[in-house]
Amino acid sequence: MLQQYHIPVLPEQSISGLNIRPGDDVVDATFGGGGHSRLILQALGAGRLFAFDQDEDAAGNTFKDKRLFFIRHNFRYLKNFLRFYEVGSVDSVFADLGVSSHDFDIPERGFSFRFEGELDMRMNQDATKNATMVVNEYSEEQLLSVFRLYGEIKNAPRLVAAIVKERNSGKITTTTQLKEVAVKCAPKAIENKYLAQVFQALRIEVNDEMDALKEFLVASLDVLKKGGRLVVITYHSLEDRLCKNFIKAGNFDGKIEKDFYGNVSSPFRMVNRKVIIPDEKEMESNTRSRSAKLRIAEKI
């Protein structure tokens, strides 16, 4: 079940980076298939693991362990739910920001252009906004913003014009319909990359991923004990930039502030100065790890 759902990325490096000691309180903000959580529990001894995931399918991967507290909510509410469990601070926080392999491989979830399916893309299946709504109801200006900001698509005006023309003839409701529109706008030889950018942009918008990530990072800083570790795996430049800037400068713009003596004022110490990426063996055995970047920070 675990292997089919999602193969943990950079497992050894992640657990090592968390610097877990027996009895710690740890957060796994992205439970998914439970792969990283199981590894955390192996190192945890008598501690507690608070695992978050808003996806109903992920909830089906939970297992019996008195040390595991599964919370089916978005990790942006990290601080609120720790308070519910009367936890004021934790020793380490982990997040793997990738969409699970399971979600990509289930056609009806609508995350992938590889399959025919409903244009959905909701990580929280109870949410009201889905990709069909975005594609068909957003204005041209809103769509331009989505594809430029979240897909970094250079010919976004052409793509949006094609989508608007198509939806005027009839509602776009499936992944195949969107793919057929988008592929006509794709530069030759990079069609798949282009389609991935289109689908990524919509997924980020549907799930409000960038704002959720910002709230999560701020909450993580608040709940981490002094000397506590934050370990994050990112998969695309937008989320990686936010994490890098926040770890380096304590803000999302990356603006370095210094005190009266010229010392850099940052809430974190970067444990790995150079970003950690999978080795060739892992990339061959788990192709979805290829774009992964691991960052480790320690709260000062």
Side-chain angles (χ1 to χ4, degrees), residues 181-218:
V181 174
V183 78
K184 295 175 184 176
C185 303
K188 290 183 179 180
I190 61 165
E191 287 89 351
N192 283 348
K193 180 182 179 182
Y194 186 87
L195 290 172
Q197 290 173 299
V198 171
F199 276 65
Q200 171 187 290
L202 288 173
R203 191 199 76 227
I204 290 173
E205 174 64 20
V206 168
N207 297 287
D208 194 24
E209 292 180 32
M210 293 299 100
D211 284 341
L213 176 56
K214 289 179 180 179
E215 290 176 33
F216 160 72
L217 290 170
V218 171

Side-chain angles (χ1 to χ4, degrees), residues 137-296:
E137 298 177 17
Y138 272 31
S139 67
E140 291 186 48
E141 290 76 15
Q142 287 174 308
L143 285 176
L144 274 172
S145 178
V146 168
F147 290 123
R148 279 173 171 162
L149 287 176
Y150 301 148
E152 298 180 298
I153 295 172
K154 294 179 181 179
N155 68 345
R158 182 184 174 190
L159 173 64
V160 170
I163 288 173
V164 171
K165 181 179 179 180
E166 181 69 20
R167 76 185 189 185
N168 285 340
S169 301
K171 200 171 183 180
I172 301 171
T173 60
T174 70
T175 54
T176 301
Q177 283 179 284
L178 178 61
K179 176 182 177 180
E180 289 174 350
V181 174
V183 78
K184 295 175 184 176
C185 303
K188 290 183 179 180
I190 61 165
E191 287 89 351
N192 283 348
K193 180 182 179 182
Y194 186 87
L195 290 172
Q197 290 173 299
V198 171
F199 276 65
Q200 171 187 290
L202 288 173
R203 191 199 76 227
I204 290 173
E205 174 64 20
V206 168
N207 297 287
D208 194 24
E209 292 180 32
M210 293 299 100
D211 284 341
L213 176 56
K214 289 179 180 179
E215 290 176 33
F216 160 72
L217 290 170
V218 171
S220 295
L221 176 60
D222 287 344
V223 302
L224 275 171
K225 297 176 182 177
K226 185 177 180 180
R229 293 284 183 87
L230 172 65
V231 176
V232 184
I233 303 176
T234 65
Y235 293 84
H236 59 76
S237 61
L238 298 175
E239 62 191 13
D240 188 59
R241 192 178 304 127
L242 286 181
C243 293
K244 179 181 178 180
N245 287 345
F246 191 72
I247 289 171
K248 181 179 69 173
N251 59 65
F252 299 112
D253 298 321
K255 184 179 179 181
I256 299 292
E257 295 182 4
K258 296 183 179 181
D259 62 19
F260 179 79
Y261 299 100
N263 299 311
V264 175
S265 177
S266 172
F268 290 108
R269 175 182 72 86
M270 290 186 287
V271 175
N272 59 319
R273 291 283 174 179
K274 188 176 181 181
V275 70
I276 298 170
I277 61 174
D279 58 24
E280 290 186 12
K281 183 178 179 181
E282 180 173 0
M283 287 191 279
E284 287 177 8
S285 62
N286 182 12
T287 56
R288 285 178 177 153
S289 72
R290 287 177 179 171
S291 57
K293 292 181 179 180
L294 174 66
R295 297 186 184 276
I296 306 168

